[in-house]
Amino acid sequence: MKVYVTGRKGGTGKTMVALYLLIRLKIMGYRVDFKDLSDNGIAGTYLRNVGFRRDPKPHFIIYDIKPSAVDGSQDLTILVTELPFIKLEQWDWPTKKILVLNKATPFPDKFIRQLEEIKTLVPEFDSVVIVPFNGFLFNGELINEPALDRLSQIVAGKANDKLVLPFIEEVSRQIY
Amino acid sequence: MNTPSWTLDRRVEVIMDTTEASRVFDKLRSYKEVVLYPLPSTLKETLEVGGALRESGVRTSIEGSPFSIEPRIRREEMLNLPGVALVWDPRELTWNMDTKVKVEDALEPKEGQFVIGRDFPITDPRTGVLAYFLKKTTFVQFKYQKEVLSVGEVNGTIRDEEYLIRPNRWMTDMAVVKIKEAEKDQVTVNSRELFCRPLGSVFVPVNRKEMFDVLIGLRMRSSHFSLDCIKHLGEVR
């Protein structure tokens, strides 16, 4: 399955989401390949530094891809942005599509107001995933984000949430 | 604590008419679902029992708020805080912290260490770590209810702070409550916000910049409430 991770606005976390997805899908036991077709090349450099090896027979190929390179051959498109920049984006691909709204405000009163706007976007996508502002991700550590764990499950066909909020009770790692 | 008013399928409803929070917690921790009803004067104990139950995986509701547990998001790597020492004195049920967050023991504090329980005037490690990180010592503890509002006593000074925050026991996520009114020695918040995600009774007041400083510096997230709770708060219909 070809998965394109894209978005027009820079700095919203496309590369981070693409890499997180790569890591989680591998942890879930899938064979995953990665292609960096972005302008910044950050993911490619990161993967070379950690010794990532290409997989010749992957279940998933994750592309970190700029919008102008999206060619319609993908099976799934993941649009990554932040809510204030959603107006800069287009999502008219004829594929399955997921919206990832990254760095959601940590202030509950503002978040609840923003949810009203997010609700209007939900019918436009197969899934909408809201990722909270997360200090681990901000510092480049690709761990401890249950909303992105759930995104990985959706991509793998193990979940089909229409809307994923930051508060997720059934964290997969939890054992009480 | 009154005898449970009814039980069905391991659910129990409890009127919190006691201040013996530990005894209540011990009796309730084996239930599947617990509903707590505070008296105006037992708000602190209700928040402590509710927080401890949720962090133990018991689905808990306070005064009709939607049931929830606290997601267990544990750090994969140790958070070492060598500049912090703790006077171990767990007076409240939620005055604990996961072992993945390492602070020193304050029996023999090193010079220059920030001692939770001395430099921060209560022995709550979670808010103590925030206080150390933000270099402030003000805290708020909720004590009683006044109609639909909850009243917290301020120990210190409220300046430009707009929110109260309290971390979960894993120091990876937090409850955030907006301050409705702040006076000299007390703050009020909407009780429904406080009851949607109870994690204990002690909070640190923060302004917007301090909130981001905590999230980035201590590597935490702020995940708000469940959708049921957001609906309950009446903002999303």
Side-chain angles (χ1 to χ4, degrees):
Chain A
M1 177 191 263
K2 284 175 80 170
V3 180
Y4 281 10
V5 181
T6 192
R8 285 179 195 280
K9 179 76 175 72
T12 57
K14 290 182 293 294
T15 300
M16 179 274 296
V17 169
L19 288 171
Y20 198 105
L21 202 51
L22 164 72
I23 293 167
R24 286 304 298 177
L25 287 170
K26 277 182 160 288
I27 290 170
M28 290 165 72
Y30 294 102
R31 298 181 66 168
V32 193
D33 198 7
F34 193 98
K35 291 189 179 173
D36 186 350
L37 300 181
S38 69
D39 281 331
N40 60 41
I42 292 171
T45 306
Y46 171 85
L47 291 174
R48 273 193 300 280
N49 289 341
V50 299
F52 175 74
R53 283 188 293 185
R54 305 289 304 275
D55 191 319
K57 290 185 179 175
H59 298 106
F60 298 96
I61 311 174
I62 311 292
Y63 289 75
D64 181 1
I65 187 167
K66 57 188 172 188
S68 60
V70 173
D71 57 6
S73 69
Q74 73 274 29
D75 302 295
L76 166 65
T77 318
I78 300 177
L79 171 62
V80 181
T81 189
E82 296 170 33
L83 187 61
F85 306 124
I86 189 71
K87 290 182 174 65
L88 302 177
E89 304 292 345
Q90 293 177 327
W91 49 85
D92 51 359
W93 313 290
T95 65
K96 187 177 176 184
K97 52 197 171 217
I98 298 174
L99 173 63
V100 174
L101 292 168
N102 195 20
K103 301 181 201 170
T105 176
F107 306 109
D109 48 330
K110 203 173 166 193
F111 178 75
I112 289 171
R113 284 199 300 274
Q114 288 186 345
L115 261 186
E116 286 292 334
E117 187 179 347
I118 293 169
K119 273 170 59 184
T120 66
L121 295 167
V122 171
E124 309 257 329
F125 293 87
D126 292 280
S127 298
V128 174
V129 178
I130 307 173
V131 181
F133 190 97
N134 179 319
F136 280 102
L137 303 179
F138 187 88
N139 286 289
E141 297 174 40
L142 303 174
I143 50 175
N144 277 0
E145 184 37 67
L148 290 180
D149 294 347
R150 183 59 63 93
L151 170 67
S152 308
Q153 292 173 337
I154 293 170
V155 170
K158 304 289 185 191
N160 62 354
D161 308 54
K162 193 73 182 155
L163 176 64
V164 177
L165 293 179
F167 186 91
I168 298 176
E169 277 194 8
E170 316 82 34
V171 176
S172 54
R173 289 184 279 267
Q174 86 186 30
I175 304 164
Y176 285 103
Chain B
M1 182 180 77
N2 278 353
T3 308
S5 54
W6 59 273
T7 58
L8 179 65
D9 195 23
R10 310 274 294 155
R11 176 190 286 196
V12 63
E13 298 197 8
V14 178
I15 298 169
M16 286 289 295
D17 59 357
T18 176
T19 55
E20 294 183 65
S22 293
R23 281 190 59 206
V24 177
F25 174 69
D26 287 342
K27 286 192 174 185
L28 298 180
R29 63 193 306 177
S30 60
Y31 282 86
K32 190 176 171 190
E33 291 185 336
V34 173
V35 186
L36 300 172
Y37 294 99
L39 299 183
S41 60
T42 59
L43 176 62
K44 181 187 85 170
E45 290 76 14
T46 306
L47 292 171
E48 289 295 333
V49 172
L53 287 170
R54 290 180 69 254
E55 290 184 342
S56 302
V58 179
R59 286 169 53 76
T60 304
S61 158
I62 297 180
E63 216 169 66
S65 63
F67 288 94
S68 69
I69 58 169
E70 185 62 20
R72 185 184 191 273
I73 307 169
R74 201 168 191 224
R75 289 169 182 275
E76 293 183 11
E77 292 182 9
M78 191 76 82
L79 173 63
N80 284 307
L81 297 164
V84 187
L86 170 68
V87 175
W88 177 242
D89 181 18
R91 291 189 195 182
E92 305 293 349
L93 285 167
T94 66
W95 289 12
N96 54 15
M97 214 161 47
D98 186 44
T99 52
K100 285 279 192 179
V101 183
K102 190 172 185 312
V103 295
E104 305 279 317
D105 194 316
L107 284 176
E108 293 179 24
K110 296 176 187 129
E111 199 177 321
Q113 270 187 330
F114 181 88
V115 178
I116 299 170
R118 184 192 70 189
D119 303 313
F120 186 57
I122 55 168
T123 56
D124 171 24
R126 303 186 197 178
T127 48
V129 166
L130 296 187
Y132 161 75
F133 187 77
L134 293 171
K135 296 181 173 51
K136 63 196 296 186
T137 56
T138 300
F139 70 88
V140 170
Q141 184 160 32
F142 284 95
K143 292 282 175 68
Y144 64 94
Q145 273 186 285
K146 212 159 100 181
E147 297 176 354
V148 297
L149 301 177
S150 292
V151 182
E153 289 181 5
V154 178
N155 188 301
T157 311
I158 300 284
R159 293 190 177 88
D160 62 345
E161 293 92 341
E162 294 176 63
Y163 298 92
L164 301 175
I165 63 175
R166 176 167 185 78
N168 65 12
R169 72 180 296 176
W170 304 281
M171 296 295 285
T172 50
D173 208 325
M174 62 177 74
V176 184
V177 186
K178 185 161 175 63
I179 296 174
K180 195 172 171 65
E181 277 182 26
E183 294 169 20
K184 188 167 178 285
D185 53 6
Q186 68 179 39
V187 295
T188 51
V189 304
N190 183 331
S191 294
R192 287 196 298 177
E193 287 181 36
L194 194 60
F195 295 163
C196 254
R197 191 178 184 181
L199 285 173
S201 61
V202 182
F203 290 75
V204 170
V206 293
N207 59 32
R208 289 173 184 244
K209 178 186 176 301
E210 289 171 332
M211 172 69 116
F212 283 106
D213 287 345
V214 167
L215 294 172
I216 293 167
L218 292 174
R219 288 160 170 72
M220 297 180 71
R221 65 201 289 274
S222 165
S223 67
H224 307 297
F225 314 110
S226 66
L227 187 58
D228 284 346
C229 237
I230 290 170
K231 287 177 182 167
H232 176 71
L233 290 172
E235 304 283 347
V236 172
R237 295 178 216 288

